[in-house]
């Protein structure tokens, strides 16, 4: 990992890690790399920060540099959930009720 920043548990015992000015990587419970979100989705991050996984298994990423929050579903293209009004989103969390919380 290049400058690991934030980490979140993922389904099946795995975990997700954001890297400073880099990428977001998904690991299996065995700590083996499952995928890089940049490679899997062809997405260019600015400075990925907070990460979390929702109840459907989608990965959410707050990007400090691009001032956005993106959702990366297991299947399909990434979806930009928030693209305005953020200054420097860092922390992110999903509630069990489907609510999204962003520390900006």
């Amino acid at each position: 990992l290049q400058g690991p920043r934030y980490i979140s548990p993922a389904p099946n015992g795995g975990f997700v890690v954001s890297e400073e000015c880099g990428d977001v990587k998904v690991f299996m419970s065995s700590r083996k790399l499952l995928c890089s979100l940049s490679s899997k989705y062809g997405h260019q991050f600015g400075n990925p920060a907070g990460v979390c996984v929702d109840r459907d298994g989608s990965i959410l990423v707050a990007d400090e540099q691009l001032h956005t929050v993106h959702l990366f579903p297991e299947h399909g293209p990434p979806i930009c959930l928030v693209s305005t009004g953020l200054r420097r989103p860092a922390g992110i969390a999903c509630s069990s009720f489907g609510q999204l919380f962003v520390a900006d």
Side-chain angles (χ1 to χ4, degrees):
L1 291 169
Q2 301 285 335
R5 298 191 67 202
Y6 291 81
I7 187 167
S8 175
N12 302 322
F15 57 97
V16 179
V17 179
S18 64
E19 298 177 296
E20 188 167 7
C21 297
D23 202 353
V24 175
K25 298 201 173 144
V26 182
F27 292 86
M28 300 184 304
S29 60
S30 63
R31 298 184 302 272
K32 288 187 180 184
L33 180 65
L34 181 62
C35 72
S36 146
L37 294 188
S38 290
S39 297
K40 180 177 179 178
Y41 294 93
H43 182 82
Q44 183 69 39
F45 290 100
N47 190 18
V51 292
C52 67
V53 179
D54 70 11
R55 61 184 176 195
D56 297 325
S58 296
I59 299 168
L60 291 97
V61 180
D63 193 312
E64 286 180 330
Q65 184 178 359
L66 300 179
H67 315 286
T68 59
V69 174
H70 276 82
L71 179 138
F72 296 86
E74 192 169 339
H75 304 288
I79 300 164
C80 183
L81 298 179
V82 183
S83 62
T84 59
L86 297 175
R87 292 183 181 181
R88 191 174 173 196
I92 189 169
C94 299
S95 78
S96 58
F97 299 107
Q99 297 168 306
L100 173 65
F101 300 97
V102 180
D104 185 24

